[in-house]
Amino acid sequence: MGLRKIPEGPLRDGFTTGTSATAAAKAALWAMIHQTPPKEVQVVLPIEKVLTIPVHSCAFTEEWAKCSVIKDAGDDPDVTNKAEIGCEITLTKKKGEVLFVAGEGVGTVTLPGLSLAVGQAAINPVPRQMMVAALQKLLHDADWDFGVCVTVFVVNGVRLAKRTLNERVGIMNGLSILGTTGIVKPYSSSSYIASIEQGIDVAVANGIRELVINSGARSEKYLRALFPYLKEQAFIHYGNWIGETLKKIRHSAIQKVSLGIMLGKAVKLAAGQLDTHSCVSSWDKEFIARLAQKSGYNMQQQNAIKELNMAGRLPEIFPFQEQEAFYQQLLSCCYQQSKTILNPIELDLFLIHKEGDFIKYKRL
């Protein structure tokens, strides 16, 4: 999953799917209580901030209501931006209870290892807490001796979920309702890192002790043939956050890791840059030239490195072959950086060419 170029100028915050669902649930119960459709609702966020969110649609009777809002992710390139997220509310007999059901487009948990039990709607704990607090306050203020059943839905959620890693971690048939602060910070790493940690937790909970970590779908496709015996959950995408991924694995029950890496990220990792996003780090040509010198290459080849505009062009200087000393030296540095974090977990490294060829690190 690649990241888009960050826009210039101040970036606008958005709100999460959890905040969206809370707004829809609150609007629906308010409409049922007051028998009039609200134009907007206020949502109290976990960070003690209040957002006012417009209501997109609303229908109700005295015992049922259904409202939706349009999720606004601000300037974040979120797959759920502009998605219609709603809640259908029905009354229950038990005073104050709040039950949750996965409606159309909201996933169901099918594997252990998540913060939710198998069989539950994929509505994470913080959004549940937000909805419970909002709905119980409305019931209390109206002096209603009822509880509510909340069916959360996302229009086109099944289709949108295909653009996420939900199915890999056992969330089937839709999206997750997420959020810890209620706010989406544009281009924040937090959500990606959370998905990495979630994937590792699910792998461990399902008895997996060997992982293949790689930057994304393309590199995974190249590596799959080398590990036909591994389950899908054993493949983790680290994106640009190699360091965060390795730290999470270090404190897990994983026993072996195979790290697949392409040249553009390998030259950064070799130099100790554990966050490889282009906005955070760039490759150090002087460092790579010194690696070439250490491997016995001449001054002409060292200088040629400094003329390259991208690391992916290194095979123009050094043939992409397993016996080529430059790549083994590069992988040796990557190994040392990774092993410092992972030790004592077993580690293998695979350098991947953009055409799908790979070089395995040969430890001496």
Side-chain angles (χ1 to χ4, degrees), residues 67-95:
C67 291
S68 69
V69 304
I70 301 300
K71 189 207 167 178
D72 182 357
D75 285 323
D76 195 65
D78 192 312
V79 298
T80 59
N81 188 37
K82 304 305 179 186
E84 183 179 353
I85 298 174
C87 289
E88 184 176 343
I89 300 282
T90 55
L91 299 177
T92 67
K93 293 181 180 181
K94 186 176 180 180
K95 182 178 179 179

Side-chain angles (χ1 to χ4, degrees), residues 133-151:
L135 295 173
Q136 286 182 341
K137 185 177 188 307
L138 284 175
L139 290 168
H140 177 269
D141 291 348
D143 198 25
W144 275 25
D145 293 329
F146 300 105
V148 292
C149 180
V150 184
T151 300

Side-chain angles (χ1 to χ4, degrees), residues 206-220:
N206 285 275
I208 293 170
R209 296 296 178 264
E210 177 181 353
L211 294 181
V212 177
I213 64 174
N214 50 89
S215 59
R218 181 171 63 159
S219 56
E220 179 184 320

Side-chain angles (χ1 to χ4, degrees), residues 110-337:
T110 65
L111 291 175
L114 300 173
S115 56
L116 300 166
V118 172
Q120 287 192 328
I123 304 167
N124 275 21
V126 172
R128 286 174 183 253
Q129 293 165 11
M130 291 171 65
M131 282 185 269
V132 167
L135 295 173
Q136 286 182 341
K137 185 177 188 307
L138 284 175
L139 290 168
H140 177 269
D141 291 348
D143 198 25
W144 275 25
D145 293 329
F146 300 105
V148 292
C149 180
V150 184
T151 300
V152 184
F153 65 89
V154 181
V155 176
N156 294 322
V158 174
R159 177 176 58 81
L160 292 172
K162 297 295 183 182
R163 297 165 59 189
T164 74
L165 294 176
N166 270 16
E167 291 187 359
R168 176 160 298 183
V169 295
I171 297 173
M172 308 302 292
N173 301 318
L175 292 163
S176 303
I177 302 300
L178 303 171
T180 53
T181 64
I183 291 291
V184 173
K185 289 291 184 183
Y187 293 86
S188 166
S189 63
S190 59
S191 60
Y192 200 113
I193 293 170
S195 72
I196 292 169
E197 294 178 342
Q198 187 180 64
I200 295 167
D201 286 340
V202 167
V204 170
N206 285 275
I208 293 170
R209 296 296 178 264
E210 177 181 353
L211 294 181
V212 177
I213 64 174
N214 50 89
S215 59
R218 181 171 63 159
S219 56
E220 179 184 320
K221 181 182 71 173
Y222 297 148
L223 289 169
R224 279 271 186 163
L226 300 177
F227 303 92
Y229 56 90
L230 290 180
K231 297 179 181 178
E232 186 179 33
Q233 288 76 30
F235 293 84
I236 303 292
H237 294 178
Y238 55 71
N240 291 296
W241 294 280
I242 299 174
E244 296 291 343
T245 305
L246 296 176
K247 290 172 187 175
K248 172 66 177 179
I249 294 171
R250 173 66 182 85
H251 297 288
S252 74
I254 296 300
Q255 298 169 357
K256 180 179 180 181
V257 172
S258 294
L259 190 159
I261 191 165
M262 301 189 88
L263 270 169
K265 296 185 188 299
V267 294
K268 296 179 181 181
L269 176 59
Q273 298 173 15
L274 299 176
D275 182 341
T276 60
H277 192 280
S278 59
C279 294
V280 176
S281 61
S282 59
W283 68 299
D284 185 341
K285 297 179 185 180
E286 294 289 342
F287 171 78
I288 298 303
R290 289 196 297 273
L291 284 188
Q293 180 186 34
K294 187 176 180 180
S295 302
Y297 293 92
N298 60 41
M299 185 61 68
Q300 182 180 358
Q301 291 167 305
Q302 295 170 41
N303 289 334
I305 292 172
K306 301 173 187 178
E307 299 300 319
L308 296 178
N309 59 353
M310 60 181 65
R313 293 181 58 192
L314 283 167
E316 296 175 13
I317 305 172
F318 311 103
F320 196 84
Q321 299 170 357
E322 195 159 277
Q323 64 269 25
E324 191 72 32
F326 171 78
Y327 296 115
Q328 290 298 328
Q329 186 67 50
L330 179 68
L331 284 172
S332 176
C333 291
C334 289
Y335 182 87
Q336 292 168 27
Q337 296 291 345

